[in-house]
Amino acid sequence: MHYSIISAFLLIQVTFGQLSNFDDWHHQRIQLEDVSIHFRYFGSGPPVLLVHGFPQDSLTWHTIGPIIAQKHTVIAPDIRGCGDSSLSRTGNYTAQAAGADLKAILDFLSINQTYVFAHDKGVGLAASLAIEHPDLVTRIILADYPLPGYGYSTNVTSPDLYQNWQLAFFAVPDAAEFFISGREREMLSWYFFHGSYSGTQAVTLDHLNRYTVQISKPGFLRSGMMYFAAAWDDEKYFTAAFDNGNRLHMPLLALGGEASFAPVALLNSSWSGVSDNFVAELIPKAGHWIGDENPAWSGNRALRFFADGEQIPDVDLSYLSDRVTLWP
Ligand SMILES: *[C@@H]1O[C@H](CO)[C@@H](O)[C@H](O)[C@H]1NC(C)=O
Ligand SMILES: *[C@@H]1O[C@H](CO)[C@@H](O)[C@H](O)[C@H]1NC(C)=O
Ligand SMILES: *[C@@H]1O[C@H](CO)[C@@H](O)[C@H](O)[C@H]1NC(C)=O
Ligand SMILES: *[C@@H]1O[C@H](CO)[C@@H](O)[C@H](O)[C@H]1NC(C)=O
């Protein structure tokens, strides 16, 4: 009895003892031409860029981030128009425009090789980074999102609980904003349930409230919708990049939650048009909210994937702590 309590305690220590608290991570803000980008960072070792989607912000990495930060310098931006970054002055929320912000963050940090882990809309941004700067992205994990042109726009209208009619609704920002304004929390609550494996408990009330605060700021609901309205521009962009037979060559791990992206053959057919170097796997006991529903599997799978193959140089961001960097 004592033995099993002690060994359970040791297991918890080994698994979770070293984990940082995401809310204690460092903050950084950088000014780009079109937006001000906020990101959180923590850890030491080779860099990993984490790219969130909608309706979330960098908080989506609150569990997976600390697991990866045990071995890596982790950088988790709020993408333009989300979280604590600003709205885009030009209103451009295409994967290419928002993906260019990722390059700007890496340039600011003098990082010329990184691992990337992206989720949802962030997958489009990360894919754009990999298309435009293939030497920069050494290994990439793309989770629970088919690129426009490769499975996104053809599967949006089924009424099934786990299907995705909201992708079409959000793509009409005037209507979506009109119907959702003042009901952001209700929309999020429905969305988290709708995309989940485990149901209404998938995302905590505290985090539901924090996401609500973010998308209820003036303009931020609309900027989220603009990512969906950009799907057709994104489709043109991605098909121009890949329909000519070009592919991404860096190792790609394509993930999908078992409740949101099964069967694995769907993942496979989605990514075979994009990459000639991928493996596809389902995340057990997760829907779309992989950081809330199965962070241990997802974080540890990412650690194994990044440890495999070519290793990249460490970065040390401690120099940022006491510096004014927003103003030249
Ligand atoms: C958005 O940005 C992309 C990338 O810079 C550019 O190709 C596209 O034309 C822009 N779209 C609009 C509507 O400004
Ligand atoms: C990255 O920068 C380092 C140091 O400046 C340089 O030695 C290395 O070749 C660069 N790597 C790439 C892939 O450009
Ligand atoms: C997605 O759309 C494609 C093309 O219309 C169709 O063949 C496929 O069966 C759909 N998949 C699902 C899961 O609905
Ligand atoms: C998955 O895609 C790869 C690459 O296109 C292909 O070689 C493989 O046979 C596919 N596997 C399944 C289970 O569909």
Side-chain angles (χ1 to χ4, degrees), residues 145-175:
Y145 181 85
L147 288 184
Y150 299 88
Y152 178 91
S153 7
T154 43
N155 296 86
V156 297
T157 51
S158 161
D160 185 277
L161 173 65
Y162 298 113
Q163 293 302 314
N164 297 311
W165 62 268
Q166 78 281 356
L167 304 182
F169 174 51
F170 293 165
V172 189
D174 292 337

Side-chain angles (χ1 to χ4, degrees), residues 258-281:
E258 70 165 300
S260 53
F261 218 129
V264 74
L266 189 61
L267 266 180
N268 211 29
S269 70
S270 174
W271 291 106
S272 58
V274 169
S275 166
D276 59 15
N277 190 7
F278 74 98
V279 289
E281 292 176 20

Side-chain angles (χ1 to χ4, degrees), residues 46-67:
V48 175
L49 182 67
L50 300 178
V51 193
H52 73 84
F54 181 86
Q56 298 180 292
D57 51 68
S58 54
L59 182 60
T60 195
W61 301 111
H62 70 107
T63 46
I64 293 174
I67 293 172

